[in-house]
Amino acid sequence: SYEKLNQTSQIGNFGVKMDYYYAPNPNQTIRFGIEGKQHYFYPATYKLSNLEVNDSTFGANETITHDIAFYAEDDFNIGRKLKLNLGIRYSFLLDENKVNTSFEPRIAARYLLTENLSCKLSYTKMSQNLHLITHFGYGVPTEVWVPATNKVKPLTSQQAAFGFAYLLNKQVEISIESY
């Protein structure tokens, strides 16, 4: 006899964002803002013919989280050759039981070696509060979106990069980076 297996898992999002832009002089641009998102996580439901089962690994009920972030960025020139971009982002992930916070600094620098050749350097720290869990058990691939929880911690990463860029003309740039 042939049995049909259906698996469903959903995530819904609603968000608002306000960005501000301020240029106090031709050599400086300041951007800042706030964003808020609400995420709705619907757990995995399996249906084998007429039998329906909820996956309770991460909770069988709908989960709602709130993601709030503030950011500021200052992009400015120091002389004709050096350009800096300094930024910060501070975020909160709120659910029914706890608050995850994350401080994410960023810095980028570009130094003109010649009119067409520049050296670039950057560093950033990022955090990830939403995870896609993939499972290949029973021969059937399963994907479920989950928020950071006590069981699944937020992931963080840090990246530094160094490189060179050569401007061939106003429309084409060739670059090489290591990170």
Side-chain angles (χ1 to χ4, degrees), residues 28-45:
Q28 184 177 20
T29 303
I30 298 170
R31 292 186 245 339
F32 56 96
I34 183 172
E35 67 179 329
K37 296 177 190 166
Q38 189 166 8
H39 305 284
Y40 303 89
F41 297 90
Y42 302 98
T45 301

Side-chain angles (χ1 to χ4, degrees), residues 11-17 35-40 65-67:
I11 179 174
N13 300 297
F14 173 77
V16 294
K17 185 175 182 180
E35 67 179 329
K37 296 177 190 166
Q38 189 166 8
H39 305 284
Y40 303 89
T65 62
H66 307 278
D67 197 351

